[in-house]
Amino acid sequence: DTEMLLVVTLGRRTSDRYEVRVSRVWRDRGVLRVEVSVQQPAPGGPIAVSSPYCVAVIPKCIFNVADFDHDPPDRTRTWQQSAPPTGQW
């Protein structure tokens, strides 16, 4: 009743060494402002698919978050399903 979750994601990345953090949250003239820091990996590191995120527990607020989408993005599938195998196994 008194808290909510603020989720910040970076989407799909090609390194598991990305970091995202919520540094600061404050109310400002009818909106909720969020300061986020992103740490990128050094060039030339190993490739590993990841989806970095940060979840912050904050006091409940009815304000919209400035510069953030409150709805998840629409995603289109970028792959096609293979035809099922034919014949006997």
Side-chain angles (χ1 to χ4, degrees), residues 19-38:
E19 289 184 25
V20 59
R21 293 182 183 194
V22 174
S23 309
R24 181 177 171 215
V25 179
W26 71 100
R27 296 177 187 176
D28 180 32
R29 295 180 228 151
V31 295
L32 195 63
R33 300 225 178 253
V34 180
E35 184 177 290
V36 175
S37 63
V38 177

Side-chain angles (χ1 to χ4, degrees), residues 8-13 15-16 18-20 50-54:
V8 178
T9 67
L10 295 182
R12 189 180 310 170
R13 301 291 177 195
S15 173
D16 59 358
Y18 276 91
E19 289 184 25
V20 59
S50 69
S51 299
Y53 66 92
C54 178

